[in-house]
Amino acid sequence: TQSTGSSGINAEYGYLVDPATEITHDLFAAPTPPPRDELEDVEVPLTLIRPCPVPPLLVLDSPITRVQLYSTENKPVPGVIVWLATITNSAPTSVTEVTMEMSGVDGRVKLAAPSSRQLSPFSPICPASPIQQVVLTTEATTSLSFNITYIFNGVQESKTGQVTLS
């Protein structure tokens, strides 16, 4: 048996013994990585979204824009929920420079790039395409705060609020 001496280091076997607690520490062990962000590496392309047959959540309903959040059947990794946000124009004038920000009140959120940053004028005969944006949340997220900004008739507008996920 080899003695560790007063320092508690056993270089031959690669461990350290703390003399005060007698806890052994492996000198060759990899450091413990920081907690992993479960959304960091997850990407779900818009073309792969599979909608759920559940009515959407109404995030915002203003005279100019309407934002809805659709649940999906996509399960890219355990603990991650995939949503599809759509922004439509309710006004007979174009809406430009549309941006949407979301944050989890009690969990993490990741937004993919939007399909567009402008909305064509509303037409009851030929509806314009919505802006679509994939939203990833952790299972722990029960509500989202949002901020939607856009330019309408040359004036920048901003709408904020909160939506409960269910």
Side-chain angles (χ1 to χ4, degrees), residues 50-56 70-73:
R50 294 185 323 268
C52 267
V54 176
Y70 292 84
S71 179
T72 74
E73 293 180 352

Side-chain angles (χ1 to χ4, degrees), residues 2-45:
Q2 184 176 356
S3 170
T4 59
S6 62
S7 68
I9 297 177
N10 186 321
E12 182 180 346
Y13 294 106
Y15 62 86
L16 167 75
V17 178
D18 184 344
T21 62
E22 297 185 9
I23 295 176
T24 302
H25 304 279
D26 186 346
L27 297 176
F28 300 116
T32 305
R36 188 175 169 277
D37 177 2
E38 59 263 75
L39 300 178
E40 185 178 337
D41 299 325
V42 180
E43 300 284 333
V44 180

Side-chain angles (χ1 to χ4, degrees), residues 81-148:
I81 299 173
V82 181
W83 302 85
L84 178 64
T86 62
I87 305 172
T88 55
N89 187 359
S90 305
T93 307
S94 293
V95 178
T96 60
E97 297 184 37
V98 180
T99 60
M100 179 173 64
E101 299 170 340
M102 287 189 167
S103 62
V105 174
D106 51 3
R108 304 243 329 116
V109 177
K110 179 181 175 184
L111 295 172
S115 61
S116 176
R117 293 212 42 222
Q118 62 184 18
L119 294 164
S120 298
F122 171 76
S123 168
I125 298 167
C126 183
S129 295
I131 294 175
Q132 299 172 322
Q133 193 164 10
V134 175
V135 179
L136 305 175
T137 65
T138 58
E139 284 182 341
T141 308
T142 60
S143 60
L144 300 173
S145 292
F146 65 87
N147 181 30
I148 297 164

Side-chain angles (χ1 to χ4, degrees), residues 63-82:
I64 299 167
T65 57
R66 181 177 201 157
V67 181
Q68 294 179 298
L69 198 56
Y70 292 84
S71 179
T72 74
E73 293 180 352
N74 298 77
K75 304 288 184 219
V77 295
V80 174
I81 299 173
V82 181

